[in-house]
Amino acid sequence: QLQASGGGLVQAGGSLRLSCAASGRTFSTYALGWFRQAPGKEREFVAAISWSSTTYYADSVKGRFTISRDNAKNTVYLQMNSLKPEDTAVYYCAADPTLHIIVVKSTPTYWGQETQVTVSS
């Protein structure tokens, strides 16, 4: 189980930190990631982190978002800075044994619950 939290309403230029806590199994050897889906759009990859903490980002968030993980807490984070109205979306965390499946295929084995992020202009 993956439980996402930390979403909310923020003004453009502001920051939010999303958290995704895992339960039921240990994800320390899994790749973890974040996706988002804006109204009327397809779900898209946002960021991913390998078991060894190598990170990958979509071009649209590079330099503004930072993904990190705490294996002791079985948790992945997404620090979002300089938020823009176009970042408004439902955000999902995800996990898969293979990083490629998250970054390239966008078909991870485990999906977390959604958390809403709304950025006002």
Side-chain angles (χ1 to χ4, degrees):
Q1 302 288 344
L2 297 170
Q3 180 68 52
S5 62
L9 174 64
V10 64
Q11 288 188 333
S15 300
L16 282 174
R17 189 176 83 152
L18 305 184
S19 300
C20 179
S23 61
R25 65 163 54 236
T26 298
F27 286 96
S28 60
T29 61
Y30 279 56
L32 302 171
W34 290 93
F35 293 80
R36 66 186 182 186
Q37 186 167 18
K41 295 187 177 181
E42 294 187 353
R43 186 157 51 191
E44 63 176 0
F45 166 76
V46 174
I49 186 166
S50 71
W51 67 269
S52 60
S53 294
T54 301
T55 56
Y56 299 84
Y57 298 94
D59 288 343
S60 59
V61 306
K62 204 171 292 184
R64 300 187 297 120
F65 290 11
T66 302
I67 188 171
S68 61
R69 64 190 297 161
D70 185 337
N71 288 335
K73 295 182 178 180
N74 223 16
T75 300
V76 60
Y77 304 97
L78 185 68
Q79 177 67 43
M80 306 185 294
N81 298 329
S82 302
L83 282 162
K84 304 175 180 179
E86 51 263 44
D87 294 318
T88 294
V90 173
Y91 283 70
Y92 301 86
C93 57
D96 196 276
T98 306
L99 180 66
H100 176 86
I101 297 298
I102 292 179
V103 177
V104 178
K105 298 289 188 182
S106 294
T107 55
T109 301
Y110 299 96
W111 286 101
Q113 293 184 330
E114 62 193 52
T115 187
Q116 176 71 46
V117 172
T118 303
V119 184
S120 63
S121 57

